[in-house]
mmCIF file of all heavy atoms in Angstrom:
data_model
loop_
_atom_site.group_PDB
_atom_site.id
_atom_site.type_symbol
_atom_site.label_atom_id
_atom_site.label_comp_id
_atom_site.label_asym_id
_atom_site.label_seq_id
_atom_site.Cartn_x
_atom_site.Cartn_y
_atom_site.Cartn_z
ATOM 1 N N PHE D 513 -13.853 152.374 27.910
ATOM 2 C CA PHE D 513 -14.628 153.580 27.599
ATOM 3 C C PHE D 513 -15.673 153.745 28.683
ATOM 4 O O PHE D 513 -16.082 152.772 29.299
ATOM 5 C CB PHE D 513 -15.314 153.480 26.236
ATOM 6 C CG PHE D 513 -15.466 152.075 25.755
ATOM 7 C CD1 PHE D 513 -16.390 151.218 26.340
ATOM 8 C CD2 PHE D 513 -14.656 151.583 24.767
ATOM 9 C CE1 PHE D 513 -16.508 149.915 25.931
ATOM 10 C CE2 PHE D 513 -14.767 150.262 24.349
ATOM 11 C CZ PHE D 513 -15.698 149.426 24.925
ATOM 12 N N ARG D 514 -16.087 154.973 28.892
ATOM 13 C CA ARG D 514 -16.989 155.219 30.022
ATOM 14 C C ARG D 514 -18.453 155.119 29.619
ATOM 15 O O ARG D 514 -19.296 154.769 30.415
ATOM 16 C CB ARG D 514 -16.694 156.603 30.616
ATOM 17 C CG ARG D 514 -15.267 156.703 31.133
ATOM 18 C CD ARG D 514 -15.002 158.026 31.822
ATOM 19 N NE ARG D 514 -13.599 158.114 32.198
ATOM 20 C CZ ARG D 514 -12.666 158.722 31.488
ATOM 21 N NH1 ARG D 514 -12.990 159.317 30.350
ATOM 22 N NH2 ARG D 514 -11.411 158.747 31.872
ATOM 23 N N ASP D 515 -18.743 155.467 28.386
ATOM 24 C CA ASP D 515 -20.126 155.388 27.916
ATOM 25 C C ASP D 515 -20.174 154.534 26.660
ATOM 26 O O ASP D 515 -19.266 154.594 25.833
ATOM 27 C CB ASP D 515 -20.680 156.778 27.599
ATOM 28 C CG ASP D 515 -20.884 157.605 28.845
ATOM 29 O OD1 ASP D 515 -21.783 157.263 29.624
ATOM 30 O OD2 ASP D 515 -20.134 158.576 29.044
ATOM 31 N N VAL D 516 -21.228 153.752 26.570
ATOM 32 C CA VAL D 516 -21.443 152.965 25.359
ATOM 33 C C VAL D 516 -22.815 153.351 24.822
ATOM 34 O O VAL D 516 -23.828 153.147 25.494
ATOM 35 C CB VAL D 516 -21.408 151.454 25.644
ATOM 36 C CG1 VAL D 516 -21.620 150.676 24.354
ATOM 37 C CG2 VAL D 516 -20.089 151.061 26.285
ATOM 38 N N PHE D 517 -22.819 153.945 23.658
ATOM 39 C CA PHE D 517 -24.097 154.324 23.055
ATOM 40 C C PHE D 517 -24.457 153.305 21.988
ATOM 41 O O PHE D 517 -23.706 153.080 21.044
ATOM 42 C CB PHE D 517 -24.015 155.724 22.439
ATOM 43 C CG PHE D 517 -25.283 156.117 21.723
ATOM 44 C CD1 PHE D 517 -26.448 156.329 22.439
ATOM 45 C CD2 PHE D 517 -25.311 156.250 20.336
ATOM 46 C CE1 PHE D 517 -27.630 156.669 21.788
ATOM 47 C CE2 PHE D 517 -26.486 156.591 19.686
ATOM 48 C CZ PHE D 517 -27.645 156.806 20.411
ATOM 49 N N ILE D 518 -25.607 152.672 22.181
ATOM 50 C CA ILE D 518 -26.084 151.696 21.209
ATOM 51 C C ILE D 518 -27.142 152.377 20.351
ATOM 52 O O ILE D 518 -28.189 152.779 20.846
ATOM 53 C CB ILE D 518 -26.688 150.464 21.905
ATOM 54 C CG1 ILE D 518 -25.668 149.849 22.871
ATOM 55 C CG2 ILE D 518 -27.145 149.437 20.869
ATOM 56 C CD1 ILE D 518 -24.421 149.306 22.234
ATOM 57 N N HIS D 519 -26.833 152.521 19.087
ATOM 58 C CA HIS D 519 -27.755 153.256 18.218
ATOM 59 C C HIS D 519 -28.744 152.325 17.537
ATOM 60 O O HIS D 519 -28.566 151.100 17.512
ATOM 61 C CB HIS D 519 -26.975 154.052 17.180
ATOM 62 C CG HIS D 519 -26.051 153.201 16.353
ATOM 63 N ND1 HIS D 519 -26.516 152.305 15.433
ATOM 64 C CD2 HIS D 519 -24.707 153.118 16.322
ATOM 65 C CE1 HIS D 519 -25.491 151.705 14.859
ATOM 66 N NE2 HIS D 519 -24.372 152.169 15.392
ATOM 67 N N ALA D 520 -29.771 152.918 16.990
ATOM 68 C CA ALA D 520 -30.779 152.143 16.271
ATOM 69 C C ALA D 520 -30.189 151.645 14.959
ATOM 70 O O ALA D 520 -29.167 152.136 14.482
ATOM 71 C CB ALA D 520 -32.001 153.019 16.007
ATOM 72 N N VAL D 521 -30.848 150.658 14.408
ATOM 73 C CA VAL D 521 -30.431 150.118 13.117
ATOM 74 C C VAL D 521 -31.451 150.541 12.072
ATOM 75 O O VAL D 521 -32.657 150.477 12.301
ATOM 76 C CB VAL D 521 -30.349 148.575 13.192
ATOM 77 C CG1 VAL D 521 -30.094 147.985 11.814
ATOM 78 C CG2 VAL D 521 -29.261 148.161 14.160
ATOM 79 N N ILE D 522 -30.944 151.002 10.954
ATOM 80 C CA ILE D 522 -31.841 151.475 9.902
ATOM 81 C C ILE D 522 -32.301 150.305 9.043
ATOM 82 O O ILE D 522 -31.492 149.540 8.536
ATOM 83 C CB ILE D 522 -31.142 152.537 9.034
ATOM 84 C CG1 ILE D 522 -30.798 153.752 9.891
ATOM 85 C CG2 ILE D 522 -32.026 152.928 7.863
ATOM 86 C CD1 ILE D 522 -30.103 154.848 9.139
ATOM 87 N N GLN D 523 -33.606 150.188 8.922
ATOM 88 C CA GLN D 523 -34.178 149.180 8.028
ATOM 89 C C GLN D 523 -34.722 149.891 6.799
ATOM 90 O O GLN D 523 -34.845 151.109 6.786
ATOM 91 C CB GLN D 523 -35.333 148.459 8.731
ATOM 92 C CG GLN D 523 -34.936 147.816 10.034
ATOM 93 C CD GLN D 523 -36.138 147.289 10.792
ATOM 94 O OE1 GLN D 523 -37.209 147.866 10.716
ATOM 95 N NE2 GLN D 523 -35.944 146.213 11.508
ATOM 96 N N ASP D 524 -35.100 149.123 5.800
ATOM 97 C CA ASP D 524 -35.657 149.772 4.613
ATOM 98 C C ASP D 524 -37.113 150.167 4.865
ATOM 99 O O ASP D 524 -37.652 149.954 5.958
ATOM 100 C CB ASP D 524 -35.486 148.887 3.370
ATOM 101 C CG ASP D 524 -36.443 147.695 3.358
ATOM 102 O OD1 ASP D 524 -37.263 147.569 4.302
ATOM 103 O OD2 ASP D 524 -36.364 146.903 2.412
ATOM 104 N N GLY D 525 -37.748 150.739 3.867
ATOM 105 C CA GLY D 525 -39.108 151.261 4.031
ATOM 106 C C GLY D 525 -40.131 150.191 4.349
ATOM 107 O O GLY D 525 -41.240 150.487 4.793
ATOM 108 N N GLU D 526 -39.763 148.927 4.114
ATOM 109 C CA GLU D 526 -40.693 147.834 4.378
ATOM 110 C C GLU D 526 -40.399 147.180 5.723
ATOM 111 O O GLU D 526 -40.955 146.144 6.056
ATOM 112 C CB GLU D 526 -40.584 146.773 3.273
ATOM 113 C CG GLU D 526 -40.728 147.324 1.860
ATOM 114 C CD GLU D 526 -42.158 147.728 1.547
ATOM 115 O OE1 GLU D 526 -43.081 147.152 2.133
ATOM 116 O OE2 GLU D 526 -42.341 148.645 0.727
ATOM 117 N N GLY D 527 -39.473 147.744 6.469
ATOM 118 C CA GLY D 527 -39.115 147.156 7.748
ATOM 119 C C GLY D 527 -38.186 145.965 7.615
ATOM 120 O O GLY D 527 -38.048 145.166 8.529
ATOM 121 N N GLN D 528 -37.545 145.843 6.461
ATOM 122 C CA GLN D 528 -36.604 144.746 6.247
ATOM 123 C C GLN D 528 -35.193 145.257 6.460
ATOM 124 O O GLN D 528 -34.886 146.419 6.200
ATOM 125 C CB GLN D 528 -36.736 144.206 4.814
ATOM 126 C CG GLN D 528 -38.141 143.756 4.476
ATOM 127 C CD GLN D 528 -38.383 143.622 2.982
ATOM 128 O OE1 GLN D 528 -39.102 142.746 2.552
ATOM 129 N NE2 GLN D 528 -37.789 144.501 2.181
ATOM 130 N N LYS D 529 -34.354 144.348 6.918
ATOM 131 C CA LYS D 529 -32.974 144.718 7.136
ATOM 132 C C LYS D 529 -32.309 145.037 5.795
ATOM 133 O O LYS D 529 -32.583 144.392 4.797
ATOM 134 C CB LYS D 529 -32.243 143.533 7.796
ATOM 135 C CG LYS D 529 -30.980 143.945 8.498
ATOM 136 C CD LYS D 529 -30.412 142.783 9.299
ATOM 137 C CE LYS D 529 -29.186 143.251 10.060
ATOM 138 N NZ LYS D 529 -28.586 142.179 10.847
ATOM 139 N N MET D 530 -31.469 146.051 5.821
ATOM 140 C CA MET D 530 -30.771 146.371 4.579
ATOM 141 C C MET D 530 -29.706 145.313 4.315
ATOM 142 O O MET D 530 -28.979 144.920 5.218
ATOM 143 C CB MET D 530 -30.119 147.739 4.676
ATOM 144 C CG MET D 530 -31.132 148.882 4.654
ATOM 145 S SD MET D 530 -30.364 150.491 4.661
ATOM 146 C CE MET D 530 -31.818 151.533 4.377
ATOM 147 N N SER D 531 -29.648 144.856 3.082
ATOM 148 C CA SER D 531 -28.673 143.823 2.761
ATOM 149 C C SER D 531 -28.238 143.940 1.313
ATOM 150 O O SER D 531 -28.956 144.495 0.478
ATOM 151 C CB SER D 531 -29.259 142.438 3.009
ATOM 152 O OG SER D 531 -30.256 142.147 2.046
ATOM 153 N N LYS D 532 -27.075 143.377 1.035
ATOM 154 C CA LYS D 532 -26.573 143.414 -0.341
ATOM 155 C C LYS D 532 -27.499 142.651 -1.269
ATOM 156 O O LYS D 532 -27.781 143.086 -2.378
ATOM 157 C CB LYS D 532 -25.168 142.795 -0.388
ATOM 158 C CG LYS D 532 -24.069 143.788 -0.135
ATOM 159 C CD LYS D 532 -22.711 143.123 -0.331
ATOM 160 C CE LYS D 532 -21.604 144.045 0.179
ATOM 161 N NZ LYS D 532 -20.336 143.314 0.345
ATOM 162 N N SER D 533 -27.981 141.498 -0.800
ATOM 163 C CA SER D 533 -28.752 140.658 -1.708
ATOM 164 C C SER D 533 -30.103 141.273 -2.047
ATOM 165 O O SER D 533 -30.658 140.992 -3.105
ATOM 166 C CB SER D 533 -28.941 139.266 -1.107
ATOM 167 O OG SER D 533 -29.652 139.360 0.113
ATOM 168 N N LEU D 534 -30.634 142.100 -1.161
ATOM 169 C CA LEU D 534 -31.896 142.763 -1.478
ATOM 170 C C LEU D 534 -31.654 144.104 -2.173
ATOM 171 O O LEU D 534 -32.582 144.734 -2.656
ATOM 172 C CB LEU D 534 -32.738 142.990 -0.220
ATOM 173 C CG LEU D 534 -33.403 141.750 0.390
ATOM 174 C CD1 LEU D 534 -34.239 142.139 1.598
ATOM 175 C CD2 LEU D 534 -34.271 141.049 -0.636
ATOM 176 N N GLY D 535 -30.425 144.529 -2.200
ATOM 177 C CA GLY D 535 -30.115 145.791 -2.872
ATOM 178 C C GLY D 535 -30.858 146.970 -2.274
ATOM 179 O O GLY D 535 -31.110 147.965 -2.946
ATOM 180 N N ASN D 536 -31.228 146.853 -1.000
ATOM 181 C CA ASN D 536 -32.035 147.919 -0.392
ATOM 182 C C ASN D 536 -31.218 148.807 0.541
ATOM 183 O O ASN D 536 -31.760 149.554 1.340
ATOM 184 C CB ASN D 536 -33.230 147.312 0.361
ATOM 185 C CG ASN D 536 -32.783 146.324 1.431
ATOM 186 O OD1 ASN D 536 -31.602 146.005 1.540
ATOM 187 N ND2 ASN D 536 -33.717 145.866 2.228
ATOM 188 N N GLY D 537 -29.922 148.702 0.417
ATOM 189 C CA GLY D 537 -29.067 149.561 1.235
ATOM 190 C C GLY D 537 -28.956 150.948 0.622
ATOM 191 O O GLY D 537 -29.151 151.130 -0.575
ATOM 192 N N VAL D 538 -28.687 151.911 1.480
ATOM 193 C CA VAL D 538 -28.515 153.280 1.000
ATOM 194 C C VAL D 538 -27.095 153.708 1.331
ATOM 195 O O VAL D 538 -26.674 153.634 2.481
ATOM 196 C CB VAL D 538 -29.523 154.226 1.670
ATOM 197 C CG1 VAL D 538 -29.313 155.646 1.188
ATOM 198 C CG2 VAL D 538 -30.945 153.783 1.361
ATOM 199 N N ASP D 539 -26.374 154.127 0.315
ATOM 200 C CA ASP D 539 -24.988 154.544 0.508
ATOM 201 C C ASP D 539 -24.956 156.015 0.922
ATOM 202 O O ASP D 539 -25.504 156.862 0.219
ATOM 203 C CB ASP D 539 -24.230 154.342 -0.812
ATOM 204 C CG ASP D 539 -22.737 154.576 -0.645
ATOM 205 O OD1 ASP D 539 -22.347 155.329 0.281
ATOM 206 O OD2 ASP D 539 -21.964 154.025 -1.438
ATOM 207 N N PRO D 540 -24.326 156.311 2.048
ATOM 208 C CA PRO D 540 -24.251 157.709 2.493
ATOM 209 C C PRO D 540 -23.717 158.649 1.409
ATOM 210 O O PRO D 540 -24.156 159.795 1.308
ATOM 211 C CB PRO D 540 -23.283 157.647 3.682
ATOM 212 C CG PRO D 540 -23.383 156.264 4.184
ATOM 213 C CD PRO D 540 -23.693 155.395 2.997
ATOM 214 N N ILE D 541 -22.801 158.131 0.603
ATOM 215 C CA ILE D 541 -22.248 158.982 -0.458
ATOM 216 C C ILE D 541 -23.346 159.416 -1.431
ATOM 217 O O ILE D 541 -23.371 160.552 -1.905
ATOM 218 C CB ILE D 541 -21.130 158.216 -1.223
ATOM 219 C CG1 ILE D 541 -19.974 157.884 -0.288
ATOM 220 C CG2 ILE D 541 -20.647 159.026 -2.424
ATOM 221 C CD1 ILE D 541 -19.199 159.074 0.208
ATOM 222 N N ASP D 542 -24.276 158.512 -1.698
ATOM 223 C CA ASP D 542 -25.373 158.864 -2.599
ATOM 224 C C ASP D 542 -26.301 159.885 -1.959
ATOM 225 O O ASP D 542 -26.851 160.756 -2.639
ATOM 226 C CB ASP D 542 -26.168 157.610 -2.985
ATOM 227 C CG ASP D 542 -25.361 156.672 -3.869
ATOM 228 O OD1 ASP D 542 -24.479 157.175 -4.591
ATOM 229 O OD2 ASP D 542 -25.589 155.455 -3.820
ATOM 230 N N ILE D 543 -26.498 159.764 -0.659
ATOM 231 C CA ILE D 543 -27.351 160.744 0.018
ATOM 232 C C ILE D 543 -26.671 162.110 0.035
ATOM 233 O O ILE D 543 -27.309 163.142 -0.172
ATOM 234 C CB ILE D 543 -27.664 160.302 1.464
ATOM 235 C CG1 ILE D 543 -28.395 158.969 1.443
ATOM 236 C CG2 ILE D 543 -28.506 161.349 2.170
ATOM 237 C CD1 ILE D 543 -28.504 158.328 2.794
ATOM 238 N N ILE D 544 -25.385 162.090 0.246
ATOM 239 C CA ILE D 544 -24.659 163.356 0.220
ATOM 240 C C ILE D 544 -24.797 163.993 -1.163
ATOM 241 O O ILE D 544 -24.966 165.201 -1.289
ATOM 242 C CB ILE D 544 -23.176 163.126 0.587
ATOM 243 C CG1 ILE D 544 -23.061 162.764 2.066
ATOM 244 C CG2 ILE D 544 -22.336 164.369 0.276
ATOM 245 C CD1 ILE D 544 -21.689 162.294 2.503
ATOM 246 N N GLN D 545 -24.787 163.147 -2.172
ATOM 247 C CA GLN D 545 -24.932 163.681 -3.529
ATOM 248 C C GLN D 545 -26.308 164.304 -3.735
ATOM 249 O O GLN D 545 -26.437 165.366 -4.322
ATOM 250 C CB GLN D 545 -24.705 162.561 -4.540
ATOM 251 C CG GLN D 545 -24.638 163.073 -5.970
ATOM 252 C CD GLN D 545 -24.862 161.960 -6.979
ATOM 253 O OE1 GLN D 545 -24.354 160.858 -6.792
ATOM 254 N NE2 GLN D 545 -25.613 162.246 -8.013
ATOM 255 N N THR D 546 -27.351 163.648 -3.240
ATOM 256 C CA THR D 546 -28.694 164.162 -3.483
ATOM 257 C C THR D 546 -29.116 165.222 -2.469
ATOM 258 O O THR D 546 -29.926 166.089 -2.794
ATOM 259 C CB THR D 546 -29.742 163.031 -3.454
ATOM 260 O OG1 THR D 546 -29.587 162.280 -2.237
ATOM 261 C CG2 THR D 546 -29.576 162.106 -4.630
ATOM 262 N N HIS D 547 -28.623 165.140 -1.254
ATOM 263 C CA HIS D 547 -29.145 166.024 -0.213
ATOM 264 C C HIS D 547 -28.088 166.856 0.501
ATOM 265 O O HIS D 547 -28.419 167.847 1.152
ATOM 266 C CB HIS D 547 -29.890 165.207 0.844
ATOM 267 C CG HIS D 547 -31.172 164.624 0.351
ATOM 268 N ND1 HIS D 547 -31.220 163.451 -0.362
ATOM 269 C CD2 HIS D 547 -32.451 165.062 0.457
ATOM 270 C CE1 HIS D 547 -32.492 163.181 -0.676
ATOM 271 N NE2 HIS D 547 -33.254 164.141 -0.189
ATOM 272 N N GLY D 548 -26.846 166.451 0.426
ATOM 273 C CA GLY D 548 -25.800 167.177 1.151
ATOM 274 C C GLY D 548 -25.480 166.519 2.480
ATOM 275 O O GLY D 548 -26.329 165.882 3.092
#
Side-chain angles (χ1 to χ4, degrees):
Chain D
F513 21 72
R514 299 185 185 96
D515 290 291
V516 181
F517 176 67
I518 304 296
H519 56 70
V521 173
I522 297 180
Q523 303 172 327
D524 74 2
E526 307 288 332
Q528 304 163 144
K529 200 172 183 180
M530 289 184 172
S531 70
K532 271 185 191 165
S533 61
L534 287 182
N536 57 354
V538 179
D539 188 335
I541 297 293
D542 292 332
I543 300 169
I544 290 170
Q545 188 198 319
T546 52
H547 290 83

